Structures are given as structure tokens and as C-alpha cells.
Amino acid sequence: YLVPKPKSVTMDEWEVKRGRLSAEKEEAYFARMQSCVRFYIAFLVKLQDWGTMWTWLARLLNQKPQRVAVSVLQGALDIAPYFLMQQYPNQFRKILMFVIQTYLPRLEGMVRKQEGDTLGGIVKKLQITLEDCNRTGFKVPEGFQLATQATELNQAM
């Protein structure tokens, strides 16, 4: 998703460079990339590597939106907001406002161009996630507290 397509490369070659498996449907590819991003962000949380997480998010948002960006951004925003808000409160609010006011309309524009596009549901879910973050604040990601409690129990033994 962050690999630009050179003009000399065919679409099939570019898809392979981006990690798409041969004969893999677009929806399956998006779901797999979203899972990879969630794992990567969780790994960065475990390492407490906030700078790398911030850099990754900034690079994604600085790219021209691609179809896979919707799923990738949704995966990142399932985990990252709570932690980035603690580390970079003012800057992260600005990033969220950029996503809501600028990036999301670009993604919606991509979906509107293709009728019957399954990407519309993912864009809507991303919109709901962002609205929830603004309305209710940033919650600890699901499963994080359980892992913390298990770690504390192991240390007590």
C-alpha cells in the first residue's frame, strides 16, 4: 500500500510487489493487509515505539489514497488512537481532524466513482470509528487489559 507504481511495471507485477497473492480477491487482500497492520501496530505498542508508529501513520496519510488504504487505516485506528493520544495529544487530534476533513472525503470520492463497490462499507466503518473516537474518547484496545493482567500474574509467581 505504500509502494508507488512505476510506469514501467505492469499492474500484475505491481500487485505482487504490494504483497497480493495470485488469484486473491481484492476483499481478501484488504482483510489480510488490515490484519497485518493490526499485528504491526500491536507489536509497536508492546515495544512502546511511539515514534515508529507515528512515522508509519504520517507516511500513510501523506500518500495519495489507494483502495487498500481504507482497510489499512481502519486496522491502525482499531489499536493506535489510545496510545498515540497519550504520547502526542495535540498532534494526534490534528491528525484525526485531517483524516476526517480531508482524507476521508478523498476515500469516499474513490468509492463513489465505482458503483457497487464493496469498499463503501469499509469507508463507512472507518467513519463510525472516527466519530466514536471524537464523541466518546479513546478507549484501550480490546484485549490489551487482559494481556496486561496476565503479565502481572506471571510476575507475581
Side-chain angles (χ1 to χ4, degrees):
Y1 44 89
L2 292 179
V3 179
K5 181 185 176 297
K7 292 179 182 178
S8 62
V9 175
T10 67
M11 192 62 155
D12 290 337
E13 291 171 337
W14 183 57
E15 292 291 339
V16 169
K17 284 186 179 192
R18 290 177 43 195
R20 190 166 176 182
L21 305 173
S22 62
E24 183 177 30
K25 292 186 178 182
E26 189 177 56
E27 290 177 38
Y29 171 67
F30 290 170
R32 192 166 55 82
M33 289 297 108
Q34 184 178 33
S35 297
C36 289
V37 166
R38 289 175 57 102
F39 179 76
Y40 178 64
I41 297 294
F43 179 72
L44 293 176
V45 166
K46 180 67 177 161
L47 294 177
Q48 297 183 356
D49 192 351
W50 316 121
T52 301
M53 190 184 311
W54 183 265
T55 302
W56 180 88
L57 183 61
R59 284 182 179 164
L60 175 70
L61 295 174
N62 279 323
Q63 296 286 321
K64 180 181 175 190
Q66 299 176 24
R67 293 178 56 80
V68 71
V70 180
S71 295
V72 168
L73 186 58
Q74 176 65 48
L77 293 179
D78 284 344
I79 298 172
Y82 175 77
F83 303 103
L84 289 177
M85 193 62 186
Q86 288 180 341
Q87 297 300 313
Y88 311 106
N90 296 330
Q91 298 93 328
F92 190 63
R93 285 194 196 282
K94 290 177 186 176
I95 288 276
L96 284 180
M97 292 313 298
F98 169 78
V99 171
I100 292 168
Q101 295 173 353
T102 306
Y103 201 76
L104 199 56
R106 289 183 197 162
L107 294 173
E108 289 171 337
M110 282 187 343
V111 172
R112 272 187 246 124
K113 289 180 184 175
Q114 298 180 1
E115 282 192 35
D117 196 351
T118 57
L119 202 56
I122 302 171
V123 170
K124 191 67 177 168
K125 183 179 178 191
L126 179 60
Q127 212 171 16
I128 291 168
T129 299
L130 291 168
E131 289 171 2
D132 286 349
C133 284
N134 273 341
R135 190 179 43 235
T136 62
F138 305 96
K139 298 175 184 165
V140 177
E142 188 177 324
F144 181 74
Q145 294 292 60
L146 181 62
T148 303
Q149 292 170 359
T151 304
E152 291 169 359
L153 289 174
N154 286 338
Q155 289 175 352
M157 293 178 143

